[in-house]
Amino acid sequence: MAAGQITSEPADTPAAALAERQKLRKHFGRFDILFFLLCTIVGVDTIGTVASKGAEAFTWLIVLAAVFFVPSALLTAELGAAFPDEGGPYIWTSRAFGRLAGAVNNFLYWITNPVWLGGTLSVSAATAYTTFFNDGKNLSTSAFYAFTLMFVWVGVLAAILSFDVGKWIPTVGAWSRFILLGLFTVTVVVYGIQHGLHGFGVGDFSPTYAGFVGLVPVLMFNYVGFELPNTAGDEMTDAQKDVPFAIFRSAGLAVLLYALPILGILLVLPVKAVTGLGGFVDAIRQVFTVYGGHVAADGTATLSGAGRLLGDLAAIMFILTVLSSGVTWIMGSDRALAVSGYDGAAPRFLGVISSRFGTPVRVNILSGAVSTTVLILAHQLTGGSAGKLFGAVLGLAVSTTLVSYLGIFPALAVLRRKAPDFPRPYRAPIPRTISTVLTLLILFASVQLVAPGLGDQWFGSGYAPAGWSYGERWRYLLTEAVPLVAFMLLGVLFWVLGRTTRTAPAGALTTVKTRHV
């Protein structure tokens, strides 16, 4: 632990926690955290989904940056610096509300990520591959599984490797974002000069309630993640200084890296041509025709010469970008689940840190198994339709993610009250207001995911997800609510299975300064 860093051990800390934390290694420096955060927050897989809502999406992107993104950065900067222990959001939630709440919340926080990796991210990578390297033709079933399963298990392997090796995936991923999104933005300008752009009036940016309901969940899904580096809190060289530094710098970069490509897609493609799955990839292919290629009368883009070369390079960077998103979230959420395992809020079997790698290998393998299961099941249930698979899994990932923050965001105000004298290197302004506003926004988004339009016209024509009719509203509600309830019950089961670990406490409540070791 870095010199001068403050830590605390609650009186009921299990002996298992003290033993497992000794295996953790310190590799996580200031710029490692910054690159990790950029990969965590800036995900290119949902850019098309946001852009498909039209110019209004850009308005809500900016509004939520102000009322949600910035306050969540302030909240996490305080909690991450004041309570820098391994496990991050699990530690904050369990200290604020108890281990049962921490167990349920942490299971939701973890399960999102193998579901996301095996569904949304792997399919996005496969779509980029088929678009640029397979002439837009769908892969055969065997080739699809070969590609996507390799994608999943490369991500799992990167999470298993010790942080001094595995952290290079987020570093490469961050630079891939800079190059890909920067090149795309510049190319949009060139394309506009040569071919003109799709115009829209000021009125197209006007925010609507229906647009808010449709966009707020996915925008919040994009904007959460500041807390993820703190899942490796005991592996940071100086969490109390480096966490606020990385959070505030990544926040500005993240808004810019989202806003520019979304605006670019809206300028290049007609809204009706933008899809959630292929919107960004299609926009890349179209604008890159300025380097070589053409756009047919039906809107089909064909690349040639330098355009094809740069398009292939963009596809590789896109795949690296979505892979690094999955790796960072798996790295972080797996650590949080392992911490709950050795803290008595999950099975002890999962709460083991590998002496060889310094990582939670058992949880990593479990994540890979869940990702594989989700991938195969979703592919079979959707009849091999990549678009349906993407939409179904994205909805589940968004809902489980957002619900988990109902435990994280209130923790700021609660811990200010329960531990008012605990040292805080950074203090967020108006903590109660920040916690309240963020929690209410998350609660609203979570309700709208399960029952779109509730409070106005539940499942009305302006709110029903694409492909669903008003008569299917109860079926849709069940498809969203049942998995959430099941995951919460599994969280309770994990807490029950952790009882043996909880009943063997060690240590006493202390607040100490530790020397550099």
Side-chain angles (χ1 to χ4, degrees):
M1 191 168 293
Q5 182 166 309
I6 306 295
T7 187
S8 70
E9 295 291 352
D12 60 348
T13 298
L18 301 176
E20 295 297 335
R21 287 172 63 177
Q22 297 301 314
K23 304 176 186 176
L24 298 170
R25 308 168 187 174
K26 292 191 175 296
H27 307 293
F28 216 16
R30 175 170 292 189
F31 286 98
D32 297 326
I33 299 171
L34 176 61
F35 291 143
F36 194 89
L37 271 173
L38 287 172
C39 289
T40 297
I41 297 171
V42 182
V44 296
D45 57 305
T46 55
I47 285 177
T49 301
V50 175
S52 67
K53 303 296 183 180
E56 179 185 2
F58 188 80
T59 302
W60 285 120
L61 176 82
I62 301 304
V63 170
L64 281 175
V67 302
F68 180 83
F69 194 50
V70 171
S72 67
L74 297 173
L75 177 146
T76 310
E78 173 171 327
L79 292 177
F83 304 94
D85 309 274
E86 191 86 1
Y90 162 74
I91 294 295
W92 309 336
T93 305
S94 60
R95 289 189 183 181
F97 307 108
R99 280 194 178 89
L100 175 57
V104 174
N105 203 75
N106 203 41
F107 186 88
L108 290 169
Y109 189 79
W110 166 75
I111 193 64
T112 296
N113 297 294
V115 168
W116 187 45
L117 177 66
T120 308
L121 295 181
S122 63
V123 174
S124 295
T127 299
Y129 178 84
T130 57
T131 300
F132 287 94
F133 299 109
N134 204 44
D135 297 324
K137 301 174 184 176
N138 290 332
L139 297 172
S140 66
T141 300
S142 58
F144 173 82
Y145 280 135
F147 180 91
T148 52
L149 289 175
M150 181 175 70
F151 178 90
V152 165
W153 286 98
V154 165
V156 171
L157 177 62
I160 288 174
L161 296 174
S162 61
F163 234 139
D164 58 340
V165 177
K167 70 183 181 182
W168 287 105
I169 296 291
T171 301
V172 171
W175 283 106
S176 293
R177 282 162 172 77
F178 291 141
I179 297 170
L180 174 64
L181 299 177
L183 180 60
F184 174 74
T185 302
V186 170
T187 307
V188 166
V189 175
V190 177
Y191 184 91
I193 293 172
Q194 292 187 6
H195 302 286
L197 299 170
H198 285 278
F200 29 70
V202 174
D204 294 323
F205 288 92
S206 298
T208 65
Y209 181 73
F212 181 66
V213 169
L215 282 164
V216 68
V218 71
L219 285 174
M220 287 184 181
F221 180 73
N222 287 341
Y223 276 163
V224 295
F226 282 124
E227 76 292 334
L228 195 69
N230 272 97
T231 58
D234 287 343
E235 298 167 74
M236 295 180 182
T237 53
D238 193 347
Q240 294 179 321
K241 292 181 180 178
D242 295 344
V243 166
F245 171 91
I247 285 176
F248 295 135
R249 280 154 182 79
S250 64
L253 285 170
V255 173
L256 189 66
L257 290 172
Y258 271 129
L260 291 178
I262 287 172
L263 186 60
I265 292 172
L266 293 171
L267 290 170
V268 171
L269 297 177
V271 172
K272 63 181 181 180
V274 181
T275 65
L277 175 57
F280 186 38
V281 171
D282 291 340
I284 292 173
R285 184 170 59 175
Q286 182 161 326
V287 300
F288 274 38
T289 56
V290 301
Y291 305 117
H294 65 278
V295 180
D298 64 357
T300 302
T302 303
L303 297 174
S304 61
R308 186 175 183 86
L309 178 63
L310 287 172
D312 291 349
L313 177 62
I316 292 171
M317 288 188 290
F318 181 92
I319 293 170
L320 285 173
T321 297
V322 294
L323 176 63
S324 63
S325 291
V327 169
T328 51
W329 276 98
I330 289 292
M331 281 180 168
S333 63
D334 284 4
R335 279 169 165 77
L337 185 61
V339 170
S340 65
Y342 63 61
D343 193 54
R348 178 69 179 93
F349 173 81
L350 296 176
V352 175
I353 304 299
S354 167
S355 298
R356 178 181 179 185
F357 297 108
T359 57
V361 173
R362 293 179 182 179
V363 182
N364 296 150
I365 294 173
L366 177 61
S367 289
V370 172
S371 293
T372 300
T373 302
V374 167
L375 172 63
I376 295 172
L377 268 178
H379 188 263
Q380 294 298 317
L381 291 173
T382 56
S385 169
K388 287 183 179 179
L389 192 158
F390 177 89
V393 177
L394 179 61
L396 180 59
V398 171
S399 62
T400 51
T401 297
L402 295 187
V403 171
S404 71
Y405 285 86
L406 291 175
I408 296 171
F409 286 153
L412 174 67
V414 173
L415 289 174
R416 274 282 189 101
R417 177 176 57 80
K418 293 181 72 173
D421 299 324
F422 198 84
R424 288 169 167 80
Y426 170 80
R427 297 177 71 89
I430 52 173
R432 184 176 298 177
T433 301
I434 287 177
S435 278
T436 301
V437 169
L438 291 177
T439 303
L440 288 176
L441 283 171
I442 286 289
L443 184 61
F444 174 84
S446 300
V447 170
Q448 293 301 325
L449 277 168
V450 175
L454 188 68
D456 184 19
Q457 297 176 350
W458 175 37
F459 234 74
S461 59
Y463 301 104
W468 291 83
S469 67
Y470 180 77
E472 296 175 301
R473 63 192 183 282
W474 289 104
R475 180 183 172 191
Y476 179 86
L477 187 149
L478 289 175
T479 62
E480 292 292 325
V482 169
L484 276 175
V485 173
F487 289 155
M488 291 178 185
L489 291 175
L490 283 171
V492 174
L493 176 61
F494 269 35
W495 175 79
V496 171
L497 294 175
R499 182 178 181 278
T500 302
T501 307
R502 291 195 301 276
T503 55
L509 181 61
T510 58
T511 302
V512 298
K513 282 192 175 181
T514 59
R515 295 182 179 179
H516 180 79
V517 293

